[in-house]
Amino acid sequence: GTVQYTVWGGGEDGSVTGECKVHLSGSASVGWVYGGGRTGSYGSTIIIMEEGTVDNDIVGGSFSGTCGGTDVAISGGSVYNIYGGGEGDRVDNPQGAVVSCTGGEVTGLCKLSVTGTTHVGGSINGGGKNGSAHVGATDVFVDLSSGTFGNVLSGAGRSGHVNGDVKLTVTGGDFAGIFGGGSSLFPIFEGDVKGNVEISVRDITVGNLDIVISAGQLKGSGKITIEGGNVRFNNSVNIGGDKANILNCTLVFKDCGNVSSPYEIPTIRSFSFMKLDNSYITPSKSSQNRSFSLAQLSCPLIIEGGKGLIGDFLISLDQPRLNDELIRTDGLPAGSSFSYDGPLYKAGNGYRLGRIPA
């Protein structure tokens, strides 16, 4: 059947101490779906969508109330935006700027799964929608190899904080961007991640793959694992905004390529540690590509498994300083090299900017 406006799992107003559950199947057609309610507090929420249409948002939590935890599982049907957390009651001024935002918090874990033949017209977000919709932690799994999606996936929220960790696993689909941290759309509400970010991807096509999106802030460590050699990039792999914890971010290539057919990498930006786990990589054939784009704070980039570096890797560096160590690796095969617009020299296992000191 058709519900023109909103389905509330916990009722429009009031509180539920236990579990709230919404199940969409068949020809169900609704405007918005909330696992909780408009206001009040809710113990936990579950949303299951197998078929049907949601014209606007699926929100795992409540509009301006609080929830203990959420579990959203979507395996079919059509929806515009998906949020594992709550929304937050946002008030704008006549010019469209945010004046205030209240409520929508999820104190515990937001669990989100988007799979099957699901069509998503907007964005997928593990956390909350607006600036006050903070969440405890997120655990997001997405496989849209049989679905349709071409927009942005965030392991955190659109704008609210994640007070703990973000875990994001993506095993199929086409994405404009994948971000561990929130998007911080409004300057007064930053999408901070106060714990760690861990992203694992395979069998996807993606534009940017970032630990945190520009202006998002990471308080803990960050890690991206690219597995299987069937991840195609239209842009770069990046830590993200200048507030990211650059000194504690790791990039892992696992089971990518082989010595005769190495995996072609995009530009890799600002990581401080990279591991080649049973992997062989080579620079992109694009003439515009810089293999490693290093921020001053991330130097040196330490590479474990250097025998898997095949080819000439071109380095770019912000604010270069003479004798800075740019790269350190445990080995480099014959015929492979690092290069820079200026001279480099090898000292121990490191490669430094300039010429060998007299």
Side-chain angles (χ1 to χ4, degrees):
T2 300
V3 178
Q4 186 176 1
Y5 295 109
T6 304
V7 172
W8 305 96
E12 186 168 1
D13 293 296
S15 297
V16 177
T17 56
E19 179 183 278
C20 307
K21 186 173 183 179
V22 178
H23 190 173
L24 300 175
S25 62
S27 60
S29 179
V30 302
W32 289 263
V33 175
Y34 292 83
R38 177 178 290 277
T39 60
S41 61
Y42 307 89
S44 63
T45 68
I46 296 175
I47 298 175
I48 298 171
M49 182 176 181
E50 298 167 334
E51 297 173 291
T53 300
V54 178
D55 292 329
N56 299 291
D57 298 345
I58 289 179
V59 179
S62 64
F63 178 74
S64 63
T66 60
C67 293
T70 67
D71 189 342
V72 179
I74 304 172
S75 59
S78 177
V79 57
Y80 195 68
N81 294 313
I82 302 169
Y83 300 95
E87 178 161 341
D89 186 3
R90 197 182 89 206
V91 177
D92 296 351
N93 66 20
Q95 290 73 42
V98 180
V99 175
S100 65
C101 190
T102 56
E105 185 175 3
V106 177
T107 57
L109 176 67
C110 295
K111 188 174 181 181
L112 173 62
S113 171
V114 186
T115 61
T117 58
T118 305
H119 168 76
V120 183
S123 63
I124 302 173
N125 306 270
K129 181 175 181 178
N130 293 320
S132 61
H134 310 313
V135 303
T138 70
D139 185 349
V140 180
F141 176 81
V142 177
D143 183 349
L144 286 174
S145 51
S146 299
T148 52
F149 181 67
N151 212 318
V152 172
L153 165 62
S154 171
R158 189 183 76 167
S159 191
H161 300 321
V162 178
N163 292 318
D165 297 339
V166 170
K167 181 180 179 183
L168 175 57
T169 305
V170 191
T171 62
D174 192 343
F175 304 86
I178 295 176
F179 309 107
S183 61
S184 291
L185 294 181
F186 307 105
I188 62 171
F189 297 130
E190 292 189 342
D192 296 350
V193 178
K194 298 184 178 181
N196 305 317
V197 170
E198 184 172 347
I199 303 172
S200 177
V201 298
R202 61 180 172 87
D203 299 328
I204 65 169
T205 298
V206 62
N208 287 332
L209 175 58
D210 291 11
I211 288 181
V212 291
I213 198 170
S214 180
Q217 184 172 0
L218 175 63
K219 301 292 183 66
S221 64
K223 180 180 179 182
I224 293 176
T225 300
I226 298 169
E227 185 175 355
N230 196 28
V231 176
R232 302 293 173 232
F233 290 92
N234 297 322
N235 204 330
S236 64
V237 184
N238 199 0
I239 282 182
D242 56 8
K243 294 183 180 180
N245 185 355
I246 290 175
L247 297 178
N248 203 15
C249 288
T250 299
L251 175 62
V252 178
F253 291 94
K254 182 177 181 182
D255 300 328
C256 294
N258 55 60
V259 69
S260 60
S261 181
Y263 176 67
E264 190 173 313
I265 62 170
T267 298
I268 295 170
R269 303 182 188 277
S270 302
F271 285 85
S272 54
F273 184 80
M274 188 173 82
K275 180 178 181 180
L276 304 183
D277 180 359
N278 189 36
S279 294
Y280 295 82
I281 63 173
T282 195
S284 166
K285 295 181 178 64
S286 169
S287 61
Q288 304 300 314
N289 182 71
R290 295 274 178 154
S291 301
F292 303 118
S293 178
L294 305 180
Q296 193 66 50
L297 289 175
S298 67
C299 289
L301 168 61
I302 299 172
I303 302 175
E304 179 182 322
K307 69 178 182 179
L309 296 166
I310 309 297
D312 179 41
F313 295 85
L314 185 60
I315 299 167
S316 64
L317 178 66
D318 295 335
Q319 301 174 342
R321 297 180 303 198
L322 196 63
N323 296 318
D324 271 355
E325 186 179 23
L326 306 186
I327 300 279
R328 189 188 308 158
T329 182
D330 55 6
L332 191 65
S336 294
S337 59
F338 300 109
S339 60
Y340 181 69
D341 293 335
L344 293 178
Y345 68 93
K346 189 173 186 295
N349 290 329
Y351 294 79
R352 294 179 178 270
L353 182 61
R355 301 186 186 279
I356 298 176

